[in-house]
Amino acid sequence: MPFLTQHGDEQPIPVLAQVAPRTFELCNSFRYVHPTGTYHVPRDPDRRAYDLASIPLLFRWLVPTYGSHTLAALLHDDLIDGATSV
């Protein structure tokens, strides 16, 4: 399990607050453990909001913007934003 809670070894459950029609704020931190390091995705109300997975409208019937890939989408958004620490 590469995704873990911030201070434990269990699978995190992302809690999101909707701040605009298609953007969200992360309400709980988590981390991603990889052989090259640990990436922390912090709860930070001052950062830009997350937009989850960017799926073209044509394919949203097949792949929704959230689901089993939500943690990966949050990590991706945080890496793109440049705020994630190793």
Side-chain angles (χ1 to χ4, degrees), residues 9-67:
D9 291 331
E10 51 277 339
Q11 176 82 15
I13 298 171
V15 177
L16 302 170
Q18 190 169 5
V19 295
R22 292 190 176 140
T23 55
F24 301 85
E25 177 184 313
L26 181 63
C27 297
N28 59 333
S29 302
F30 67 92
R31 58 196 165 106
Y32 176 77
V33 180
H34 188 270
T36 61
T38 299
Y39 299 87
H40 299 275
V41 181
R43 176 194 175 276
D44 184 1
D46 295 327
R47 79 175 301 281
R48 76 169 173 82
Y50 294 91
D51 64 356
L52 302 177
S54 300
I55 309 297
L57 187 58
L58 177 65
F59 298 108
R60 287 190 189 158
W61 66 271
L62 180 62
V63 180
T65 58
Y66 62 91

